[in-house]
Amino acid sequence: MTDGILIVSEGDCERLIDRTRAFSAVEAVFGAMARGDAYNFPVIREAIGYADALYGFKSGFDKAGLALGLKSGGYWPGNADKGLTNHQSTVFLFDPDTGQLQALVGGNYLTAIRTAASSAVSIAHLARQDARVLGMIGAGHQAQFQLRAAAEQRSFEKVVAWNPHPEMLPKLAAVSDSIGLPFESVSAEDVGRQADVIITITSAFEPLLLNDWIRPGTHLACMGTDTKGKQEIDAAIAARAVVFTDEVAQSISIGEMQHPVADGSLSEADITPIGAVINATHPGRTDAGQITLFDGTGVGLQDLAVAAVAARSAAESGNPTRVSLA
């Protein structure tokens, strides 16, 4: 590129990408994946043996949206004590015609908003229209994004929430209050028994929701499991549910469905890419009593989709920041 590499800062991303734009980008790329117009490359994710950090790469190519690149970053659990978010990442975008680096895009805010967009897409396409109670399992930084995005998808009347560390719940309650939804701190069991839509967004390695607690007609968006061994829900819930995911291969290897597939209660063939529902090649929910489940494992194409929108918007802003490697 003759005009240099575009730099899109975290602040730029927050200014340029709102929930509506993130939703549209994620919904479109899920549809492209289901059509075979976009694909993710194998994920690299490793414990680096320092600072208890997990670090890796997610990459792919969206032929429909012409987004090629990778997200590099991971999870540093000690960052909160330093005033930083635990998840740190940067997106690299390349010109699919030449392979040249086009843009460096801050990935922290985009990771949060694209993850929330993913569960919101699942709620929009799979939750009952009369869903009125939103349940949250988890109250960390990402949960605040999840709550705001989910609340826009149905006419919810209240939020019920549980977190392994209850001292974190007031921040989530403040978000709920800011959007005009009553908030109640309850047990995990009561989240399951009361909520019509449940979002799980934790780093758990054991089930936090049990099968007996989940009512017919519930929609679950399981968003926290993205590593081998992690688990947020009882595997028996998946055996009862109609299961959807962002990418089947990732769902059964590092996502929530690794557990029911391993114990034989669910097969790979039982899991449908949500893009098929978006493209209207799968009906999605067909009965008000069905339990629907979305396993949001987080794919690189989500990051590339929202980063590409941010980069285009920054380039069109009239005063983009560029640097030259020459």
Side-chain angles (χ1 to χ4, degrees):
M1 293 175 60
T2 58
D3 50 356
I5 299 164
L6 182 67
I7 306 297
V8 188
S9 70
E10 288 289 339
D12 291 334
C13 290
E14 292 187 35
R15 177 172 53 85
L16 296 168
I17 303 298
D18 59 12
R19 287 186 295 277
T20 299
R21 299 191 83 182
F23 183 102
S24 296
V26 169
E27 184 180 49
V29 83
F30 283 164
M33 288 168 59
R35 293 192 305 272
D37 291 333
Y39 59 98
N40 295 285
F41 306 153
V43 174
I44 296 172
R45 186 173 173 87
E46 299 289 342
I48 66 172
Y50 183 79
D52 293 326
L54 291 172
Y55 177 73
F57 304 90
K58 290 184 175 182
S59 57
F61 177 48
D62 177 3
K63 188 176 181 180
L66 292 181
L68 173 69
L70 62 89
K71 181 175 80 168
S72 172
Y75 183 78
W76 274 258
N79 274 6
D81 296 333
K82 302 172 183 176
L84 302 170
T85 58
N86 289 343
H87 289 274
Q88 293 289 323
S89 59
T90 303
V91 180
F92 298 71
L93 295 175
F94 299 89
D95 185 338
D97 291 314
T98 67
Q100 287 183 295
L101 180 62
Q102 284 184 319
L104 293 176
V105 185
N108 296 345
Y109 168 77
L110 292 185
T111 296
I113 201 166
R114 67 80 155 152
T115 305
S118 177
S119 62
V121 167
S122 82
I123 295 167
H125 288 277
L126 297 171
R128 299 190 334 267
Q129 290 296 326
D130 65 349
R132 293 295 178 265
V133 179
L134 173 62
M136 299 291 301
I137 298 292
H141 177 72
Q142 177 63 55
Q144 298 175 38
F145 286 85
Q146 294 284 334
L147 174 54
R148 290 184 186 278
E152 296 172 344
Q153 307 311 316
R154 291 292 184 270
S155 298
F156 292 112
E157 296 174 352
K158 74 171 182 175
V159 177
V160 294
W162 175 85
N163 190 61
H165 304 285
E167 68 275 10
M168 299 174 69
L169 285 165
K171 288 186 177 179
L172 195 62
V175 172
S176 189
D177 181 66
S178 74
I179 57 178
L181 285 177
F183 182 92
E184 186 178 353
S185 173
V186 299
S187 67
E189 180 175 353
D190 280 341
V191 171
R193 295 196 183 281
Q194 291 188 42
D196 302 305
V197 172
I198 301 173
I199 298 173
T200 61
I201 183 68
T202 72
S203 298
F205 280 81
E206 61 183 8
L208 303 176
L209 282 175
L210 300 185
N211 185 32
D212 290 345
W213 304 345
I214 305 302
R215 301 182 302 162
T218 301
H219 173 65
L220 296 99
C222 301
M223 307 303 297
T225 299
D226 58 1
T227 304
K228 191 76 172 176
K230 278 188 176 182
Q231 184 175 12
E232 296 190 295
I233 67 168
D234 185 349
I237 297 173
R240 289 173 61 195
V242 185
V243 179
F244 302 86
T245 191
D246 40 23
E247 183 179 74
V248 175
Q250 196 160 288
S251 175
I252 66 175
S253 59
I254 62 173
E256 192 67 35
M257 294 307 102
Q258 65 184 278
H259 304 287
V261 168
D263 69 21
S265 60
L266 193 76
S267 72
E268 180 176 347
D270 295 324
I271 306 171
T272 301
I274 195 168
V277 183
I278 294 165
N279 295 340
T281 58
H282 187 287
R285 174 183 291 275
T286 57
D287 186 290
Q290 284 179 331
I291 295 172
T292 53
L293 188 157
F294 173 68
D295 184 10
T297 65
V299 295
L301 283 170
Q302 290 171 253
D303 300 294
L304 301 186
V306 292
V309 174
R312 285 195 296 270
S313 298
E316 295 165 0
S317 67
N319 189 30
T321 300
R322 295 186 182 273
V323 298
S324 175
L325 296 183

